[in-house]
């Protein structure tokens, strides 16, 4: 690769993903943080929907945002240290699926334990578990 040349946002947006990623690395090596940051932001903009779709299908919506951020953090770290392999979309999908797996491995999707009040007797629990008494309503509907 020749000498680093800064590019406009529109030039960067038109680059294929692999070239855009190579620009991130070249800009960083040249000490041009503005260019590397712009290229990373464009990558994120172009592929945000893909990441959100992969992550959103596999976990509660309330937790998805944190995992999406974990994905982009992994992408940025890999982009800056030059460890990104071949096809960007496949690589990005792999990172997203791995961050989802990490989330599930950590058990963050498991329900929290709620202590049961020891003062509740069996009759109260029976009524709570049975739910509302709808026997009369069912009989009326059948008539």
């Amino acid at each position: 690769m020749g000498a680093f040349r800064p590019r406009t946002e529109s030039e960067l947006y038109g680059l294929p993903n692999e070239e855009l990623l190579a620009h991130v690395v070249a800009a960083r090596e040249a000490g041009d943080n503005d260019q590397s940051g712009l290229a990373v932001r464009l990558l994120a903009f172009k592929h945000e929907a893909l990441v959100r779709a992969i992550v959103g299908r596999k976990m509660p919506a309330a937790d998805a945002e944190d995992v999406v951020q974990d994905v982009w953090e992994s992408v940025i770290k890999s982009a800056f240290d030059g460890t990104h392999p071949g096809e960007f979309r496949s690589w990005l999908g792999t990172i997203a699926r791995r961050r989802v797996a990490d989330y599930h491995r950590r058990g963050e999707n498991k329900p929290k334990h709620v202590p049961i009040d020891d003062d509740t007797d069996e009759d109260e629990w029976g009524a709570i578990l049975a739910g509302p008494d709808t026997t009369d309503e069912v009989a009326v509907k059948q008539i």
Side-chain angles (χ1 to χ4, degrees):
M1 189 186 311
F4 173 75
R5 179 181 69 82
R7 297 180 181 215
T8 66
E9 185 173 341
S10 60
E11 285 178 307
L12 290 173
Y13 192 79
L15 292 177
N17 295 321
E18 287 73 22
E19 287 182 40
L20 191 53
L21 208 48
H23 186 79
V24 169
V25 174
R28 182 164 188 267
E29 288 173 356
D32 192 334
N33 293 332
D34 290 339
Q35 279 287 296
S36 61
L38 176 60
V40 166
R41 286 191 302 278
L42 286 172
L43 277 170
F45 176 77
K46 287 172 135 180
H47 300 287
E48 183 75 11
L50 172 66
V51 171
R52 288 188 181 281
I54 292 169
V55 171
R57 284 192 318 244
K58 305 287 186 179
M59 70 184 50
D63 297 335
E65 185 63 32
D66 289 339
V67 176
V68 167
Q69 293 303 316
D70 291 344
V71 170
W72 288 115
E73 181 180 330
S74 295
V75 168
I76 291 167
K77 284 179 182 177
S78 295
F80 283 146
D81 69 13
T83 61
H84 57 282
E87 212 281 315
F88 180 77
R89 283 179 60 90
S90 295
W91 176 66
L92 180 60
T94 299
I95 290 174
R97 286 185 290 281
R98 287 180 180 170
R99 293 305 77 82
V100 168
D102 291 345
Y103 164 86
H104 288 292
R105 229 185 331 272
R106 288 188 305 259
E108 292 177 14
N109 60 328
K110 294 181 180 160
K112 306 295 183 241
H113 294 281
V114 178
I116 297 175
D117 182 8
D118 292 335
D119 295 339
T120 307
D121 63 22
E122 282 186 40
D123 291 337
E124 286 180 278
W125 278 115
I128 291 169
L129 295 174
D133 184 10
T134 58
T135 311
D136 293 336
E137 291 176 23
V138 172
V140 170
K141 287 181 183 177
Q142 289 177 349
I143 294 179

